[in-house]
Every structure is written in C-alpha cells, then in structure tokens.
Amino acid sequence: MAVVSSFMMNVCSDPLWPSSRAGARLTVDLDAIASNYRYLQTLVAGASCAAVVKADAYGLGIERVAPVLERSGAKEFFVAHVDEGIRLRAVVSEKVRITVLHGPRPDAAAECVQYGLRPVLNSLDQIAVWRSQSVRAGKPLEAVLQVDSGMSRFGLSDGDLDVLHEDEMLMDGLKVSLVMSHLACADAPEHPANGAQRQQMLKMSARLPSAPLSLSASSGIFLGPDYHLDVVRPGAALYGIAPNQTGPNPLSAVVRLQAHVLQIREILPGEGVGYGMTYRPDRPRKIATVAVGYADGFSRHGSGQGCAWFEDICLPILGRVSMDSLIVDISDVPEGRLKADMMVDLIGPRRSVDDVAEAAGTIGYEVLTSLGHRFCREYVGNAETSQKGD
C-alpha cells in the first residue's frame, strides 16, 4: 500500500491538545468502522459485503478508512467519481476491486483502464463509451450495468433494454460482472416501493447477461435476506449512521466532535444573543461561545435547535449558528466547572450524528459528509496501529 503524507490525512500531531491551534477536535474511531463492517458481514452471510467510500469515506478520510476496511475483509469498494477511484487505488492492494458508480465520462474512460477501475454503465451513451474503450484496449472490459428499478435517478430503462435486445452488437466488448439497482425508500422498511423495486430489478436483470446482482446499500441490508442478493453495498452504516428509525441503532458510533469554549459571559433578561438577536432570555443566563460554526459543517439550519454536552449536562444551542462559532447555555453547569479553553461535545456519547441531523432538519449523511477540514483530526483504535508514525 502506498504511504500517504500526514498533510493529506489532516491529522493533529500535537499530543497536548489544549495547545493545538485548531478550534475543535474530530475523533474517528477506526475500530468502530471495522466493527460495523464485520457486523454487516454477519447479516449478509450469503452475500459479498462491499464498502462504499465515496466522498472521502463520507468525510472521514479515505486514506485512513479504506485500508482498515480492507484489513477487515472488504474486497470490493465503491466510489462515485473516477478521481476518487484513482485516489483509493493508491491506498489499497492491487487485488481490491474498485467500482465507479457514476460511470466512465468520455474524457476519463482511459483512466478507468489505467487504474483498474470498473465503471457502472448507467445509460446507452456510457455503454457506447466503454465499448469504444474496449476496442482501443483490444480486449473485453469489465463493467457493471445499472437498471432503473423505479428511482428515476440512474440506470437503464426498459426502453434501453429493448434497444440492447434489438442490437446485441451494442454489448460487444463488455464483460458484465454485476447488475445493480438502488432502493429509494429502504430507510422505511414498510414502504411498498421496496418490494416493487426488488421485483422490477429481477425482471429487468433477466433481460441482461447473467451476472451477480446487487440492490441494497446500508438501509436495504436491514430489510432482510430477500434484499441481499449477491452483493451489498453499505456506506453510511459503516460510519455509524442509523439504517432506519424503527428501533435502536445497532451500529457503533464512529465520530466524536469536541470544540473549545472561547468565551464565557453572563447575560441579563432581554439581552440579545447572536446575529439577529433571535434569542433573548427571560431570566439571567450564563452562556459560552464555542469554536464550531457552519463553515465547519455545523449547519446554520440548526440555529436555536439541538445542544452540546459537557460531562452529563445538556447545553442548549442559543440563537443563530455563525460561520465560526455558536453559543450554548451553560447556566446548569456548576460554578467554576467549565472554563474558557475547555471542551464540550457537539457529537459524542450523548448526541449522535443522527441527533444533530434531526435538529437541523436533515439526515446523518449530510452532517457527516459536511464536517469541515479545520478540525484537529485524531484517528484512534487498534486498527490504526499499522499507520502510526505516518
């Protein structure tokens, strides 16, 4: 595996955190990622469990995360773009299969071949691009075919399959090694679209060359064995995001976000807090300004919603989230226990990524992938052992 510079991995090297120049610390538990992968493997014992590491491993650092997943047993990885695949290829072994979900753009098809990337072909145009590339390569090229089973986002339509059926030459030079689709409502287990999409995918795949089938990503895995087919493609579940809201999250939490307190002050009834002065207390309050804002991915839509935590004390967020800071109510903290430059939890043991998302009116996926690059990033766990000293 290639050695990746510590600069690219954005790791805080200062062992004395209080002297760090960053305003906050994002801790990524690599053991938790490995544990989540192994847990998902047990759920899909009859299928192959791939790993989705697009968007820089959901914002957590592909150079650190992907090797841990490979050591945990992942042999197939999925990314969205060709450049992501090239970046991934540098940090995993040659035997790993890398699939590019968005397929081969015309000016990137040659790089797919060069770096051993398998494209997902979502349209007749992409099939033509990849067929041309196989002619240049002088050999059949491996590919995935995606069918649109009802989401109307990516994939071949029934009409496209008619075209392919009428002219079999359109598939010359393609070695189809997977047929896939994607569920639109998998996080709602009782939604009728799940069963309908499964049936549609099976119907459409029967019209294509025989190959393993893949339908389920993270939430789909929890719909049961009927949805596992041959390959599952978990992404968010690897990073601790709940697969649905029907019960407790069975996955291990992966991230913790702690931020410094920059300033503490007392305010009187009626005094305004933050931009627009949208919060005014009805009694004296003690507040703290914390070094995380929307530039760090902590959404402005969470203004006046949610909370931070200090030890076992909830600290409600007051007023609007600013670019570089937010304000919390620390009135319930005993005098002298919380001081400037100490840290509070914004994501942590008492507040999950999904909790933060709910307060902001979004989903855990967006929270995780939006977390910024101004944090001190600390990677912990035995899974990190082989990379110490990078």
Side-chain angles (χ1 to χ4, degrees):
M1 296 183 189
V3 175
V4 181
S5 72
S6 59
F7 173 78
M8 288 183 65
M9 291 183 291
N10 197 22
V11 177
C12 175
S13 59
D14 189 345
L16 301 176
W17 167 247
S19 65
S20 169
R21 295 184 295 272
R25 175 173 61 200
L26 182 68
T27 303
V28 180
D29 187 338
L30 296 173
D31 282 352
I33 294 175
S35 175
N36 288 337
Y37 179 81
R38 291 192 294 267
Y39 170 68
L40 295 169
Q41 275 186 313
T42 66
L43 294 182
V44 298
S48 173
C49 189
V52 180
V53 292
K54 61 184 181 178
D56 195 25
Y58 284 57
L60 301 185
I62 197 170
E63 285 83 7
R64 288 294 177 107
V65 170
V68 169
L69 288 167
E70 184 179 3
R71 291 196 292 271
S72 300
K75 298 179 176 63
E76 293 194 50
F77 289 81
F78 285 76
V79 295
H81 301 290
V82 171
D83 280 349
E84 292 179 330
I86 294 172
R87 183 177 170 191
L88 174 60
R89 179 57 74 197
V91 297
V92 294
S93 68
E94 292 182 0
K95 62 186 178 182
V96 163
R97 173 186 269 162
I98 299 172
T99 301
V100 180
L101 291 165
H102 286 186
R105 292 182 57 249
D107 58 354
E111 281 79 5
C112 284
V113 177
Q114 179 182 350
Y115 290 95
L117 310 179
R118 179 179 66 166
V120 176
L121 306 180
N122 298 290
S123 66
L124 296 177
D125 287 343
Q126 288 189 338
I127 289 174
V129 167
W130 199 235
R131 184 186 175 206
S132 296
Q133 197 62 43
S134 75
V135 171
R136 294 187 187 95
K139 62 180 180 180
L141 295 177
E142 190 176 3
V144 178
L145 294 180
Q146 178 157 206
V147 296
D148 178 10
S149 58
M151 192 175 179
S152 302
R153 185 180 64 163
F154 288 116
L156 301 165
S157 67
D158 274 317
D160 293 331
L161 299 189
D162 290 339
V163 172
L164 294 176
H165 183 72
E166 291 170 2
D167 186 354
E168 295 181 359
M169 293 288 291
L170 295 176
M171 296 282 286
D172 278 1
L174 304 188
K175 180 182 178 182
V176 180
S177 54
L178 185 71
V179 175
M180 65 174 281
S181 192
H182 194 72
L183 294 166
C185 305
D187 58 344
E190 301 304 319
H191 201 293
N194 295 320
Q197 282 197 259
R198 179 181 179 276
Q199 289 302 116
Q200 179 66 6
M201 187 214 174
L202 294 177
K203 178 182 174 182
M204 296 179 78
S205 64
R207 303 179 65 190
L208 292 168
S210 178
L213 303 179
S214 178
L215 177 62
S216 291
S218 291
S219 296
I221 290 171
F222 292 84
L223 296 177
D226 285 348
Y227 290 83
H228 297 164
L229 304 180
D230 300 302
V231 180
V232 296
R233 315 181 307 273
L238 299 173
Y239 313 110
I241 293 175
N244 53 57
Q245 301 301 316
T246 61
N249 186 354
L251 302 160
S252 299
V254 169
V255 300
R256 182 178 187 182
L257 178 59
Q258 298 166 282
H260 283 293
V261 171
L262 298 173
Q263 188 172 8
I264 293 173
R265 70 175 70 237
E266 295 182 4
I267 58 173
L268 298 175
E271 290 189 330
V273 173
Y275 282 115
M277 297 184 180
T278 57
Y279 175 80
R280 295 179 184 272
D282 58 4
R283 63 185 188 277
R285 310 303 293 169
K286 194 171 186 179
I287 64 175
T289 303
V290 177
V292 161
Y294 60 76
D296 303 299
F298 214 81
S299 175
R300 193 170 182 267
H301 293 293
S303 296
Q305 305 292 324
C307 61
W309 285 83
F310 177 68
E311 298 175 351
D312 59 349
I313 303 170
C314 179
L315 312 176
I317 295 173
L318 305 179
R320 292 180 182 168
V321 175
S322 300
M323 181 180 289
D324 312 300
S325 64
L326 55 81
I327 297 169
V328 295
D329 186 345
I330 63 169
S331 302
D332 291 338
V333 179
E335 185 67 31
R337 188 185 294 184
L338 178 60
K339 300 177 181 179
D341 208 44
M342 294 178 70
M343 303 188 82
V344 298
D345 276 306
L346 291 168
I347 301 173
R350 294 175 178 84
R351 189 162 180 77
S352 70
V353 170
D354 293 298
D355 292 332
V356 173
E358 183 178 4
T362 185
I363 57 175
Y365 297 64
E366 184 175 8
V367 171
L368 204 60
T369 57
S370 297
L371 292 176
H373 296 281
R374 299 196 295 183
F375 306 133
C376 160
R377 291 194 172 213
E378 184 174 272
Y379 293 83
V380 300
N382 292 331
E384 174 69 351
T385 302
S386 67
Q387 296 194 11
K388 289 292 185 185
D390 283 351

